[in-house]
Amino acid sequence: MISQQHHQLGPADPAGPPILQVRGLRKVFKIRSEGSRRTENLVAVDGVSFDLPPSGSLGIVGESGSGKTTVARIIAGLEQPSAGTVLVGGSPLARRRRRRRRRVQMVFQDPYSSLDPRQTILAGLDEVLRLHTKSGKSGRRARALELLHQVGLDERHENLRPRSLSGGQRQRVAIARALACGPEVLILDEAVSALDVSVQGQVLNLLAELRTQIQVAYLFVSHDLAVVQQVTDDTIVMHRGRVVEAGPTDAILTSPADDYTRRLLAAVPRPGWKPSRRADGG
Amino acid sequence: MSLASVNLVTVEPASGRRRTRLDPALAGIGAVLVLLVLAAVLAPLIAPYSPDQGNILIANAPPSPAHLLGTDAVGRDIVSRLIYGARLSLLGPALIIALATTAGVTLAISAVWIGGWYDVVVSRVLDLLFAIPGLLVAIIAVAVLGTGLIAPVLALSLAYTPYIARVLRSVALRERRLAYIESVQLAGFSGWAICLRHLLPNVMPLIRAQATLAFGAALVDLAAISYLGLGVQPPTPEWGIMVSDGQASLLNGYPLESISAGFLIVVVVVLVNLLGDRFAIRAEEAG
């Protein structure tokens, strides 16, 4: 049974027991440098803890290499932590694949590789629904179309393959696929970073809208503070694998307490912003 | 939101399948190969004479309307022997490719999926197989199992497995790291389902190209084994045997048996390789 006891809590209720509890997460990668036999330890994530309330929305920001994606992948179950615990709805991730997957889903950064190029949109959704629901063929199609509508697509897209869709449309399909599993936590790993700014806005609006319709919590991983501001209630700032600041998103963006956060904010281009260095490769 | 997305839909047939333009060269090659296979299958209907019974009175007859390519040293019709010979000459490499591809694909995909020590073991075993010459394995197999079709086919299947597996492993490894594989993994599908439904279909163009190219090489190898007398035995009609049988006649001034069989081998290998090249180009375009 999937625990649904918190579904009555709205996004604004911070008092509900957290749907996602992360405690003391640590991940060490062993790197073997070329030519030498000894391995070096790279601490990618170091002592990360946070809570995510049901239907809440938490941003993880930081520069590339700060460990934010590793945190996301551990929570999704794609990586094993070296230490620490991840509790979903109070219990550790189930060993049973199917059960675990219903609870946490993820949308990836690159819209061009995150869908099977050989599968039509409907087939992709149907496959997931067949695994997770007991409904028959027509029931699954109805649900698939409902999901497509929820993400702003429709019948015209059902028989297309990913290559006929734009990047924004592909991310919508990826979101629909993730939602088809009926997750309680949706991880969005730089999910709009590869999109044009205008398309980014559309997808962010969609995400904000979805959260009012269905009970799902967002874990929004991004390097882009402006994007995080639009869809998250709380934010943690990561730097070199550690959490350097945590709190309500608005507070962090308006009055950052940590020096690193201030530098991160100062690096955001805004109107009137003059690049101090050109072609900094970053 | 949906208004913007509607305009971006590119028109595609409702089936959603990309229409592949008919490549005339590909169609030509395919047609010739299909005809050859048909000739092999329908040999009893097409061949003008029995491949085995000759008339010693007309041995080494020159080409004539009755015997288009003449007869061999024991008076058997060369055209009939070529047609019947296509059966084993094409079946042998087909069996080799079927076995080697099955083994190679299984090893490569499982190595990529399971990874870790299993991948290391598979990769080392493939390196080892690469180092062993196929003909040597075939000779050992014949020594153990005796002459015939089975021993060389098994030996060459073993020899061709690493060629299929190694290239496929590296490509499948790249494919496996793409986000769509992780995304179906996250959706809760089993490794079996992911490999069979997603990984395998997406590397299929490469498998097709590899298998086709290996077919040509296997045909030559198998003909060589027959020529050496280690494969199927005379008087069974087979192109490699015909090349070797015709040698004496060749020296006596009747070259048609060896040359026509050798010519067919060359033609089939060239056609199959051209086909394989086309497949390889397509696999590259698709990937």
Side-chain angles (χ1 to χ4, degrees), chain A residues 34-253:
Chain A
E34 225 172 295
S36 89
R37 285 202 165 268
R38 61 198 175 111
T39 56
E40 279 174 62
N41 284 343
L42 177 83
V43 181
V45 177
D46 192 8
V48 170
S49 304
F50 59 84
D51 285 347
L52 175 61
S55 302
S57 180
L58 178 77
I60 303 183
V61 295
E63 60 194 6
S64 58
S66 61
K68 56 192 195 306
T69 290
T70 308
V71 170
R73 291 176 61 86
I74 291 172
I75 293 168
L78 289 171
E79 306 264 6
Q80 293 304 311
S82 308
T85 55
V86 176
L87 299 181
V88 182
S91 53
L93 281 178
R95 284 227 168 268
R96 288 290 303 270
R97 244 181 5 251
R98 243 186 262 190
R99 254 180 233 184
R100 174 171 73 220
R101 298 321 184 193
R102 287 200 69 147
R103 315 202 75 173
V104 181
Q105 282 294 309
M106 183 155 161
V107 175
F108 294 85
Q109 172 171 12
D110 179 11
Y112 293 92
S113 68
S114 60
L115 298 172
D116 186 338
R118 304 180 60 88
Q119 213 172 25
T120 66
I121 305 313
L122 184 67
L125 285 171
D126 187 70
E127 177 186 67
V128 176
L129 292 170
R130 202 163 55 222
L131 187 71
H132 290 293
T133 64
K134 288 193 176 70
S135 31
K137 197 167 189 283
S138 58
R140 290 200 304 269
R141 178 158 186 275
R143 176 75 183 123
L145 288 180
E146 187 189 355
L147 284 163
L148 283 181
H149 285 143
Q150 266 177 341
V151 297
L153 301 173
D154 55 41
E155 291 84 351
R156 280 166 297 190
H157 303 96
E158 67 177 349
N159 287 322
L160 297 180
R161 274 162 224 274
R163 77 173 144 268
S164 342
L165 299 181
S166 66
Q169 289 173 324
R170 291 180 199 211
Q171 280 312 60
R172 288 165 192 268
V173 174
I175 293 168
R177 273 189 66 115
L179 293 179
C181 301
E184 290 154 282
V185 177
L186 183 61
I187 302 173
L188 298 131
D189 181 16
E190 300 276 13
V192 298
S193 307
L195 305 176
D196 289 344
V197 177
S198 62
V199 182
Q200 229 178 44
Q202 292 169 5
V203 174
L204 289 173
N205 285 341
L206 168 71
L207 288 171
E209 202 182 295
L210 276 175
R211 201 148 71 93
T212 64
Q213 294 170 3
I214 46 179
Q215 304 290 323
V216 64
Y218 290 161
L219 188 64
F220 200 94
V221 178
S222 181
H223 67 280
D224 189 338
L225 295 163
V227 162
V228 167
Q229 188 173 20
Q230 287 187 54
V231 286
T232 63
D233 308 326
D234 298 299
T235 295
I236 61 176
V237 181
M238 283 186 69
H239 182 48
R240 295 188 178 171
R242 291 179 164 277
V243 176
V244 293
E245 190 164 2
T249 305
D250 288 338
I252 286 183
L253 291 182

Side-chain angles (χ1 to χ4, degrees), chain B residues 253-275:
Chain B
Y254 308 104
L256 271 176
E257 184 181 11
S258 285
I259 286 181
S260 57
F263 178 75
L264 266 183
I265 293 173
V266 171
V267 166
V268 172
V269 170
V270 167
L271 287 178
V272 165
N273 281 351
L274 285 174
L275 194 68

Side-chain angles (χ1 to χ4, degrees), chain B:
Chain B
M1 251 188 290
S2 43
L3 202 77
S5 51
V6 168
N7 296 331
L8 293 168
V9 180
T10 47
V11 181
E12 195 167 327
S15 70
R17 226 167 218 293
R18 181 173 48 174
R19 197 171 295 181
T20 40
R21 273 160 293 141
L22 190 70
D23 182 343
L26 198 62
I29 296 168
V32 173
L33 289 174
V34 165
L35 279 179
L36 267 167
V37 172
L38 271 181
V41 172
L42 303 174
L45 300 176
I46 297 173
Y49 299 96
S50 151
D52 305 320
Q53 279 158 15
N55 181 354
I56 197 71
L57 298 176
I58 54 163
N60 285 329
S64 64
H67 300 279
L68 287 174
L69 287 173
T71 59
D72 66 5
V74 287
R76 293 174 298 199
D77 180 48
I78 291 177
V79 169
S80 301
R81 281 184 67 74
L82 285 176
I83 293 173
Y84 273 95
R87 295 183 141 188
L88 279 179
S89 300
L90 297 178
L91 179 69
L95 284 175
I96 291 170
I97 295 314
L99 286 172
T101 305
T102 309
V105 168
T106 309
L107 282 174
I109 299 283
S110 62
V112 163
W113 190 256
I114 297 167
W117 63 268
Y118 176 78
D119 185 24
V120 173
V121 170
V122 168
S123 298
R124 289 297 152 271
V125 168
L126 291 178
D127 287 346
L128 196 71
L129 285 177
F130 255 119
I132 304 173
L135 276 178
L136 189 68
V137 183
I139 291 169
I140 296 169
V142 169
V144 175
L145 298 171
T147 57
L149 189 63
I150 293 176
V153 161
L154 287 180
L156 289 179
S157 302
L158 193 69
Y160 278 97
T161 298
Y163 287 91
I164 307 267
R166 195 139 87 167
V167 179
L168 182 62
R169 180 186 161 275
S170 65
V171 171
L173 200 59
R174 208 171 52 210
E175 197 77 18
R176 190 228 184 292
R177 293 196 183 120
L178 291 180
Y180 78 90
I181 296 285
E182 289 196 323
S183 136
V184 283
Q185 220 177 331
L186 275 184
F189 290 98
S190 66
W192 279 108
I194 297 170
C195 287
L196 289 177
R197 289 216 297 262
H198 296 280
L199 195 51
L200 198 56
N202 279 296
V203 293
M204 202 45 111
L206 178 85
I207 298 175
R208 188 160 50 216
Q210 290 282 108
T212 312
L213 289 171
F215 183 95
L219 195 148
V220 171
D221 277 0
L222 210 55
I225 287 170
S226 299
Y227 175 83
L228 292 173
L230 299 169
V232 286
Q233 296 297 304
T236 319
E238 201 263 357
W239 296 344
I241 291 175
M242 289 180 70
V243 172
S244 116
D245 270 3
Q247 265 186 128
S249 312
L250 182 79
L251 296 174
N252 292 333
Y254 308 104
L256 271 176
E257 184 181 11
S258 285
I259 286 181
S260 57
F263 178 75
L264 266 183
I265 293 173
V266 171
V267 166
V268 172
V269 170
V270 167
L271 287 178
V272 165
N273 281 351
L274 285 174
L275 194 68
D277 281 342
R278 298 261 160 183
F279 284 153
I281 292 167
R282 285 199 175 181
E284 224 159 86
E285 283 169 354

